[in-house]
Amino acid sequence: MDLDDILPKRPDDPLAMLVRQDLDPMSVEELNARIGILEAEIGRAKAKIEKSVNHRASADALFKR
């Protein structure tokens, strides 16, 4: 699968710009810092997903779907 298939089509989209950023000029320390930030963002996104799923399950139970 090509990244262009899954990335938003807008060229100014922050995720698209992040993925296309040239990593060659970055030092090992900068790359490790980038990985740490991205891992933290992944954790934040997973927490939001979990909260949304739990909220939906609570609503479904309340209304007996």
Side-chain angles (χ1 to χ4, degrees):
M1 177 181 291
D2 190 20
L3 283 177
D4 291 331
D5 295 337
I6 60 173
L7 287 176
K9 301 301 178 207
R10 287 189 4 237
D12 64 336
D13 182 87
L15 183 58
M17 291 188 313
L18 177 74
V19 171
R20 290 188 175 103
Q21 185 178 9
D22 184 13
L23 301 179
D24 287 340
M26 293 183 169
S27 69
V28 171
E29 292 81 18
E30 290 171 323
L31 290 169
N32 281 326
R34 179 185 176 104
I35 289 169
I37 292 167
L38 292 171
E39 286 173 340
E41 184 60 16
I42 289 168
R44 190 172 79 100
K46 285 183 177 182
K48 175 62 177 164
I49 290 169
E50 185 176 338
K51 182 178 177 184
S52 295
V53 168
N54 290 338
H55 185 264
R56 174 67 187 253
S58 296
D60 287 347
L62 180 65
F63 295 106
K64 305 215 188 257
R65 283 187 133 192

